[in-house]
Amino acid sequence: MVNAYGAFLGLYDEHLLTNSSDLELSLIGATECFLLLFPSVFAGRLLDARRHYYLGFTGFLLLFLGFFLLSFTSRQGLKDQGNYSFVWLTSGLMAGLGMTCFFTYSSHNVIQWFPRKRYIAAGITSTGAGVGGIIYPLTFKFLVANYGFPVGVRILSSIVAGTTLIAFVLGTPCADVPRRQLGRMFDASTWIDKQALRSRSYTIYVVAVALVYGGFYSVAFHVTEWAEVKGFGTEEDIPGGNGVRPGDSGFRTFWFLAIMNGTSIIGRLASAVFATNLSNPIVVHTATCLLASLSAFFFWPLARNNAAAIAFCSIFGMLGGSMLALPASGVAYLIPDDRQSHAGQWTGMMWSGVSVFALVGPMIAAALKRRFGMDAVGYWTGATMLATTVLFAWSMYLKRQEDKALEESLPTTEIKSGEQTPSSMEST
């Protein structure tokens, strides 16, 4: 659902919350991103302890209630009838907390079931976000245009409830992976694995992923507005609204978001195949971030027609899908073999660390847009992706140094007898 926020943002900006600033509107989506990620440190540890049903049911309840109650925040859904505080409370806070229950839940369970093909399995699972990124914006636009905001969002909440209920029922962890009992609830060691913090490759990797989320969602949240400002498309009318805003074509602006989310499916699957063949997802991450940086620097500000805009959304969508699909696989690559039972904890710690920049990044982009114009969003994303490229390369170098140090610390007799090192096991 967070991938569909660009469609909601366009409606809020043009119709329901026209008196709210860009920063306030970006805060709603940024809150979803933050809450999607930050509680993962708890969710990941609960998954290691096989408390998946508690997480699944809580996520189902919060997501349904969040979007159902959102339908009551704008009275009849007419122009400027939206209540910003209640919109933030329902779709930002409540729905965001519901999303985090399924976020770590999905990738963690799949990687457990397919340890030898974990990168491909994680990539296939992540395509669900791309499919949802197509279906939900289009469904939302259709429902609002035909039934109005209140009724349309109530129908949407029922769809959300149905899909999350399926995930809740089918999301069973692999019984072969040892269950780790929870310790004391208020003991930091229950939730934080100190060995992860001692790993320099892991720490740098978390910083890099944080920049990915802060940069990518800055573009995703503003792509429909960018298309309208540049004259690539028009905003559709809303029942009770004041008509469409003119553009240079009849192409609807929400299609640019749908294209970006749709092509992300290709990137998610392709990155999984490359990561499996190379036995190193961080190599793929480094390359895609460099290409994403170049596309944001050049395509976003220099696009002059619909063809260029569609090309940007297609390319950036594929690269973004790759970047967003790989983090859990990257953790699986970095985690030592003797800590595999801590995989959920390490993954959850990563997402919690990423959450702060996922909150701040889109808001920085909104502030830059207000100060320097729409092109500043592309430059901000390009800069973050370029910094991310360097950090991913650094993390990969540190991982190799850690493996080399571990190999040298093993007794020579063990190595000669055929015992594999972490690096050789990974390549196998």
Side-chain angles (χ1 to χ4, degrees):
M1 288 301 298
V2 71
N3 289 336
Y5 181 68
F8 286 82
L9 177 62
L11 176 68
Y12 297 153
D13 186 39
E14 299 291 338
H15 187 70
L16 291 180
L17 301 170
T18 59
N19 294 321
S20 298
S21 67
D22 290 336
L23 278 175
E24 289 174 327
L25 296 178
S26 294
L27 179 61
I28 300 172
T31 301
E32 289 183 1
C33 284
F34 175 76
L35 293 176
L36 174 73
L37 301 171
F38 180 74
S40 293
V41 67
F42 307 108
R45 183 63 186 88
L46 290 171
L47 287 170
D48 285 340
R50 302 282 179 86
R51 305 295 177 88
H52 53 287
Y53 285 127
Y54 295 102
L55 278 174
F57 181 75
T58 302
F60 158 75
L61 195 61
L62 287 174
L63 276 168
F64 169 69
L65 289 177
F67 284 101
F68 182 74
L69 295 176
L70 174 64
S71 67
F72 296 97
T73 61
S74 62
R75 290 182 286 179
Q76 289 81 34
L78 301 179
K79 190 173 179 64
D80 288 327
Q81 285 192 343
N83 185 305
Y84 176 84
S85 297
F86 287 116
V87 170
W88 177 87
L89 183 65
T90 54
S91 68
L93 180 62
M94 188 176 294
L97 286 172
M99 292 175 196
T100 194
C101 295
F102 288 102
F103 186 65
T104 307
Y105 185 93
S106 56
S107 60
H108 176 270
N109 285 346
V110 169
I111 287 175
Q112 284 188 343
W113 278 104
F114 303 96
R116 294 184 179 179
K117 300 291 184 181
R118 53 188 173 183
Y119 304 142
I120 288 183
I124 293 173
T125 302
S126 70
T127 59
V131 173
I134 301 173
I135 293 175
Y136 279 121
L138 299 181
T139 303
F140 173 71
K141 292 289 186 180
F142 172 81
L143 293 174
V144 170
N146 287 276
Y147 302 104
F149 181 80
V151 176
V153 173
R154 282 171 208 150
I155 298 173
L156 185 67
S157 69
S158 301
I159 298 173
V160 171
T163 54
T164 52
L165 187 60
I166 294 172
F168 166 62
V169 172
L170 298 181
T172 304
C174 179
D176 294 337
V177 177
R179 175 179 178 178
R180 292 179 57 220
Q181 295 293 338
L182 282 175
R184 291 177 295 178
M185 296 294 291
F186 298 102
D187 189 344
S189 63
T190 299
W191 311 104
I192 305 295
D193 187 351
K194 293 182 180 180
Q195 185 167 330
L197 302 179
R198 296 190 191 103
S199 172
R200 292 188 298 165
S201 62
Y202 173 81
T203 304
I204 296 300
Y205 185 78
V206 171
V207 176
V209 176
L211 290 174
V212 166
Y213 271 73
F216 175 80
Y217 281 109
S218 297
V219 164
F221 287 173
H222 291 92
V223 67
T224 56
E225 184 182 0
W226 168 75
E228 184 183 358
V229 169
K230 294 282 188 176
F232 302 139
T234 57
E235 274 293 325
E236 66 284 2
D237 195 11
I238 300 164
N242 59 351
V244 300
R245 293 188 60 177
D248 293 338
S249 75
F251 200 85
R252 302 296 190 183
T253 56
F254 71 84
W255 279 106
F256 291 98
L257 178 62
I259 290 170
M260 186 177 292
N261 286 325
T263 55
S264 75
I265 298 173
I266 301 173
R268 292 169 191 271
L269 292 174
S271 65
V273 173
F274 282 119
T276 300
N277 291 335
L278 296 172
S279 297
N280 188 343
I282 304 182
V283 171
V284 184
H285 233 157
T286 304
T288 53
C289 284
L290 178 60
L291 294 174
S293 173
L294 295 175
S295 66
F297 272 131
F298 293 104
F299 271 101
W300 182 273
L302 299 179
R304 294 290 182 266
N305 52 51
N306 278 42
I310 293 171
F312 167 74
C313 290
S314 301
I315 294 171
F316 195 80
M318 284 189 286
L319 296 171
S322 175
M323 292 184 293
L324 298 180
L326 289 170
S329 298
V331 173
Y333 171 77
L334 293 172
I335 189 170
D337 293 307
D338 63 347
R339 309 296 288 184
Q340 286 298 323
S341 61
H342 295 66
Q345 192 173 21
W346 281 49
T347 305
M349 289 170 60
M350 174 191 67
W351 291 130
S352 295
V354 168
S355 65
V356 176
F357 203 70
L359 172 66
V360 174
M363 296 183 67
I364 293 175
L368 291 172
K369 185 195 75 172
R370 184 176 61 179
R371 177 69 177 83
F372 300 105
M374 184 61 74
D375 288 349
V377 175
Y379 293 134
W380 161 253
T381 296
T384 58
M385 294 302 168
L386 188 59
T388 297
T389 303
V390 176
L391 290 173
F392 277 135
W394 187 12
S395 174
M396 189 163 47
Y397 169 77
L398 291 174
K399 170 63 175 173
R400 290 174 179 172
Q401 293 297 107
E402 291 169 358
D403 284 351
K404 183 178 179 181
L406 180 59
E407 181 178 344
E408 292 174 350
S409 69
L410 292 174
T412 306
T413 55
E414 291 186 9
I415 298 177
K416 288 182 177 179
S417 65
E419 182 170 330
Q420 291 179 307
T421 65
S423 297
S424 63
M425 290 182 70
E426 185 60 46
S427 62
T428 303

